[in-house]
Amino acid sequence: MNETPPSLLELTTYLMSRTGKVARGRLADRLAERGLRLWHMSVLAALIDFGPHVQRELAARLAIDRSDIVKIVDDLAVAGLVERARDTTDRRRVTVTVGPAGRTLLDRLHAEALAVQDDLLAPLTTVERRRLAALLRRVYDHVQEDVGAQRPGR
């Protein structure tokens, strides 16, 4: 028997958590078919949306541990999706730039993410989807403000 207790169904935070877990799992499964993880997609998106980054700043932007970002960027570089260049004045600084293949791949991944989203939101009308997106964005922005305030140096 796999029935959710009604008292949990009354909690929006519970519903968000469970729905988010399903959404993440579906997208992660799609990415795994290509040998990728969500962090790979996140790094490509950040590089395309914000331009080249020093590796440690990319880690900070995406809240990825510095040791993990090295592995993620390595994976993307080996696949020919990003390029790395050492700073000539400071060899510790590595700048990461997305390559043409990375741009093409992110376009495909974005289309797949939209397909997952469409499947997940199938019970909602277009108007309801827009409303849900707007409400979630407000909550997300609020949570991000809290996260930003908790980071040292801010």
Side-chain angles (χ1 to χ4, degrees):
M1 180 183 288
N2 190 11
E3 188 174 343
T4 304
S7 59
L8 291 178
L9 294 174
E10 294 172 5
L11 297 171
T12 303
T13 50
Y14 177 82
L15 296 172
M16 288 171 51
S17 174
R18 297 298 299 170
T19 303
K21 185 175 181 177
V22 169
R24 179 183 174 88
R26 289 181 185 179
L27 182 54
D29 289 346
R30 286 279 186 103
L31 295 173
E33 292 171 6
R34 294 176 177 272
L36 299 170
R37 298 181 56 194
L38 289 167
W39 284 126
H40 293 115
M41 184 175 176
S42 298
V43 167
L44 290 173
L47 293 173
I48 289 170
D49 290 351
F50 302 116
H53 270 66
V54 171
Q55 196 165 279
R56 74 173 173 272
E57 292 169 359
L58 185 60
R61 177 182 289 280
L62 296 173
I64 300 173
D65 187 85
R66 286 171 147 185
S67 61
D68 292 334
I69 196 73
V70 172
K71 172 71 170 121
I72 294 163
V73 170
D74 282 349
D75 292 345
L76 294 171
V78 166
L81 303 170
V82 300
E83 298 169 3
R84 292 177 288 196
R86 289 221 178 260
D87 187 315
T88 55
T89 59
D90 183 351
R91 303 283 299 155
R92 294 170 296 176
R93 290 174 54 98
V94 176
T95 300
V96 184
T97 306
V98 70
R103 289 180 183 280
T104 300
L105 177 61
L106 187 63
D107 287 343
R108 289 186 189 128
L109 297 178
H110 188 76
E112 289 184 28
L114 288 174
V116 168
Q117 178 175 290
D118 284 344
D119 183 55
L120 191 71
L121 300 179
L124 303 179
T125 67
T126 301
V127 171
E128 290 170 329
R129 288 178 187 207
R130 281 192 210 116
R131 184 72 178 141
L132 176 62
L135 292 170
L136 285 173
R137 181 59 189 259
R138 281 177 51 199
V139 172
Y140 176 84
D141 289 345
H142 171 72
V143 170
Q144 290 305 106
E145 288 173 11
D146 289 348
V147 169
Q150 294 173 8
R151 287 189 187 144
R154 292 205 173 198

